């Protein structure tokens, strides 16, 4: 007789499965918390839900598949198919980078620039462009957290834009203020936006191809979103050089980069016409972002 895939798997509870899974991931050198996320997903209990219910055959199969993928090295975020970024629950898969805490800081810096511009304005939206948007993490966060914005999210990758589009569809009303466009950096934007954007923000590729990254990152995350030519600076330099043509007076460019790049890129920004260029730290206290502003 064929087993009912939705039936109970004996009398095993999800709490017992959690104990087993914690042991397996810890033996593999992974955090025990990952076992909780996997079991919550497989059981459908959600964070803080009860794990005292019986394990179903279908749920156990889903659990075992996820554990197998994780032990094989696949990032947990791709296995779960989503990840939290600020207040958003974003769909993620190997077409886009995994949202990271460093980028949450960059989104916060962009929001601060939105607030600065908005403070002197009452009759028009703050125009924002999130270039190389990937999953849409930065741009969609801005659209949700600041109702007085009009946001462009662009990417050269068709696959990344498909992920961003899916995430945008889940926003509800803020999605009406978001436009997605395909293209490389400023080429994705309509020419009528020149000299009218208030904030341009990007987390571009900034890793040197000869750099040392964790195997899990190199093996699974999209190389085109990680690596850049000229010691990882090619895209950063293109954004700094191009931004003055697209920003309105008093507008700001917010860029994420590696700690060894911030000094040179801040100097470059001043050299191409930005009135000021500030260096900001990430949560670990490392130089991580440059915020460059044009004069009013």
């Amino acid at each position: 007789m064929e087993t009912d895939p939705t039936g109970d798997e004996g009398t095993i509870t999800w709490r017992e499965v959690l104990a087993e899974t914690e042991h397996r991931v810890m033996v593999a050198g992974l955090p025990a918390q990952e076992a909780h996320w996997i079991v919550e997903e497989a059981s459908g209990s959600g964070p803080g839900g009860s794990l005292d219910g019986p394990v179903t055959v279908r749920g156990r199969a889903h659990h075992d598949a996820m554990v197998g993928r994780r032990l094989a090295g696949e990032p947990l975020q791709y296995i779960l198919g989503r990840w939290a970024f600020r207040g958003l629950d974003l769909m993620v898969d190997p077409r886009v980078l995994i949202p990271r805490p460093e980028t949450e800081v960059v989104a916060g810096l962009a929001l601060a620039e939105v607030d600065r511009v908005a403070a002197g304005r009452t009759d028009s939206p703050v125009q924002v462009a999130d270039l190389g948007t990937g999953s849409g993490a930065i741009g969609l966060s801005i659209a949700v957290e600041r109702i007085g914005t009009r946001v462009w999210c662009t990417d050269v990758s068709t696959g990344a834009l498909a992920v961003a589009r899916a995430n945008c569809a889940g926003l509800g009303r803020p999605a009406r203020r978001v436009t997605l466009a395909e293209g490389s950096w400023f080429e994705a934007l309509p020419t009528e936006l020149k000299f009218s954007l208030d904030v341009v923000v990007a987390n571009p590729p900034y890793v040197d191809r000869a750099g040392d990254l964790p195997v899990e990152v190199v093996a699974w995350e999209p190389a085109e979103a990680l690596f850049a030519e000229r010691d990882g600076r090619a895209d950063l330099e293109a954004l700094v050089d191009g931004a003055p043509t697209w920003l309105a007076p008093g507008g700001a460019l917010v860029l994420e980069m590696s700690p060894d790049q911030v000094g040179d890129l801040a100097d470059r920004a001043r050299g191409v016409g930005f009135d000021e260029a500030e260096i900001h730290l990430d949560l670990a206290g490392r130089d991580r972002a440059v915020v460059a502003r044009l004069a009013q």
Side-chain angles (χ1 to χ4, degrees):
M1 180 183 295
E2 186 175 340
T3 303
D4 179 359
T6 63
D8 293 350
E9 190 189 70
T11 58
I12 300 174
T13 68
W14 282 110
R15 193 169 303 283
E16 292 172 286
V17 172
L18 174 60
E20 167 202 322
T21 309
E22 283 183 328
H23 175 73
R24 293 180 68 185
V25 301
M26 291 173 69
V27 167
L30 300 169
Q33 178 60 45
E34 295 200 5
H36 288 257
W37 285 322
I38 289 172
V39 170
E40 287 167 357
E41 172 69 19
S43 66
S45 66
S50 173
L51 298 177
D52 294 322
V55 176
T56 63
V57 173
R58 179 175 292 169
R60 183 61 189 243
H62 184 33
H63 165 274
D64 290 350
M66 287 192 289
V67 172
R69 290 166 65 186
R70 186 67 187 107
L71 296 183
E74 185 174 352
L76 177 69
Q77 294 88 340
Y78 292 156
I79 295 168
L80 297 177
R82 64 182 188 279
W83 201 244
F85 184 89
R86 295 182 68 89
L88 300 179
D89 186 26
L90 294 173
M91 167 189 165
V92 292
D93 66 26
R95 293 174 290 182
V96 297
L97 292 179
I98 294 166
R100 289 177 166 82
E102 295 91 340
T103 306
E104 292 198 19
V105 171
V106 173
L109 293 172
L111 285 163
E113 294 306 304
V114 168
D115 293 342
R116 178 183 60 82
V117 172
R121 168 179 310 181
T122 58
D123 58 349
S124 60
V126 178
Q127 298 271 9
V128 181
D130 173 19
L131 305 183
T133 194
S135 64
I138 298 175
L140 300 185
S141 292
I142 291 171
V144 168
E145 296 184 43
R146 298 295 186 274
I147 61 173
T149 55
R150 181 75 174 82
V151 182
W152 287 78
C153 293
T154 76
D155 207 292
V156 72
S157 165
T158 301
L161 273 182
V163 175
R165 188 170 290 110
N167 284 322
C168 186
L171 293 187
R173 292 177 63 88
R176 300 176 187 177
R177 294 182 281 101
V178 177
T179 301
L180 289 92
E182 184 174 344
S184 176
W185 305 130
F186 296 103
E187 294 173 7
L189 299 172
T191 55
E192 57 264 29
L193 286 179
K194 284 188 174 182
F195 303 109
S196 68
L197 293 172
D198 298 299
V199 179
V200 172
V201 58
N203 173 22
Y206 57 76
V207 179
D208 183 357
R209 292 189 182 277
D212 185 22
L213 285 177
V215 173
E216 184 175 291
V217 174
V218 175
W220 292 97
E221 299 195 54
E224 64 272 18
L226 290 169
F227 300 106
E229 302 300 327
R230 296 201 298 277
D231 300 324
R233 298 168 189 243
D235 293 307
L236 288 165
E237 292 174 353
L239 287 162
V240 168
D241 294 352
T245 304
W246 293 86
L247 287 168
L253 173 66
V254 182
L255 292 177
E256 179 176 333
M257 61 194 73
S258 69
D260 65 329
Q261 296 166 336
V262 291
D264 290 345
L265 268 295
D267 289 342
R268 190 181 187 97
R270 297 183 192 100
V272 301
F274 283 94
D275 188 55
E276 54 185 316
E278 299 173 348
I279 294 171
H280 292 266
L281 306 179
D282 61 20
L283 296 174
R286 298 167 297 189
D287 292 342
R288 181 59 64 185
V290 169
V291 176
R293 301 185 190 94
L294 294 177
Q296 286 284 355

